[in-house]
mmCIF file of all heavy atoms in Angstrom:
data_model
loop_
_atom_site.group_PDB
_atom_site.id
_atom_site.type_symbol
_atom_site.label_atom_id
_atom_site.label_comp_id
_atom_site.label_asym_id
_atom_site.label_seq_id
_atom_site.Cartn_x
_atom_site.Cartn_y
_atom_site.Cartn_z
ATOM 1 N N ARG I 388 67.046 79.245 110.677
ATOM 2 C CA ARG I 388 66.814 80.680 110.477
ATOM 3 C C ARG I 388 67.385 81.111 109.111
ATOM 4 O O ARG I 388 66.658 81.235 108.152
ATOM 5 C CB ARG I 388 67.430 81.478 111.633
ATOM 6 C CG ARG I 388 66.884 82.874 111.767
ATOM 7 C CD ARG I 388 67.540 83.873 110.835
ATOM 8 N NE ARG I 388 68.947 84.080 111.116
ATOM 9 C CZ ARG I 388 69.755 84.755 110.293
ATOM 10 N NH1 ARG I 388 69.307 85.265 109.168
ATOM 11 N NH2 ARG I 388 71.025 84.901 110.585
ATOM 12 N N ASP I 389 68.691 81.235 109.002
ATOM 13 C CA ASP I 389 69.258 81.656 107.718
ATOM 14 C C ASP I 389 69.038 80.578 106.649
ATOM 15 O O ASP I 389 68.719 80.867 105.494
ATOM 16 C CB ASP I 389 70.762 81.944 107.879
ATOM 17 C CG ASP I 389 71.237 83.023 106.932
ATOM 18 O OD1 ASP I 389 70.774 83.021 105.783
ATOM 19 O OD2 ASP I 389 72.070 83.863 107.314
ATOM 20 N N HIS I 580 79.983 84.682 110.705
ATOM 21 C CA HIS I 580 78.798 84.294 109.928
ATOM 22 C C HIS I 580 79.149 84.675 108.488
ATOM 23 O O HIS I 580 79.660 85.772 108.263
ATOM 24 C CB HIS I 580 77.605 85.106 110.453
ATOM 25 C CG HIS I 580 76.326 84.873 109.713
ATOM 26 N ND1 HIS I 580 75.288 84.149 110.264
ATOM 27 C CD2 HIS I 580 75.906 85.257 108.486
ATOM 28 C CE1 HIS I 580 74.280 84.123 109.409
ATOM 29 N NE2 HIS I 580 74.628 84.786 108.320
ATOM 30 N N HIS I 582 78.384 84.195 104.004
ATOM 31 C CA HIS I 582 77.652 83.623 102.867
ATOM 32 C C HIS I 582 78.619 83.196 101.773
ATOM 33 O O HIS I 582 79.760 83.651 101.709
ATOM 34 C CB HIS I 582 76.587 84.606 102.401
ATOM 35 C CG HIS I 582 75.443 84.637 103.381
ATOM 36 N ND1 HIS I 582 74.323 83.872 103.218
ATOM 37 C CD2 HIS I 582 75.307 85.280 104.567
ATOM 38 C CE1 HIS I 582 73.520 84.055 104.259
ATOM 39 N NE2 HIS I 582 74.097 84.917 105.096
ATOM 40 N N ASN I 616 75.059 79.485 103.250
ATOM 41 C CA ASN I 616 75.981 79.801 104.355
ATOM 42 C C ASN I 616 77.150 78.824 104.327
ATOM 43 O O ASN I 616 77.150 77.867 103.563
ATOM 44 C CB ASN I 616 75.246 79.628 105.694
ATOM 45 C CG ASN I 616 74.215 80.707 105.933
ATOM 46 O OD1 ASN I 616 73.190 80.753 105.290
ATOM 47 N ND2 ASN I 616 74.485 81.584 106.866
HETATM 48 ZN ZN1 ZN G 1059 73.171 85.489 106.895
#
Side-chain angles (χ1 to χ4, degrees):
R388 199 277 295 169
D389 211 321
H580 177 107
H582 286 265
N616 289 71

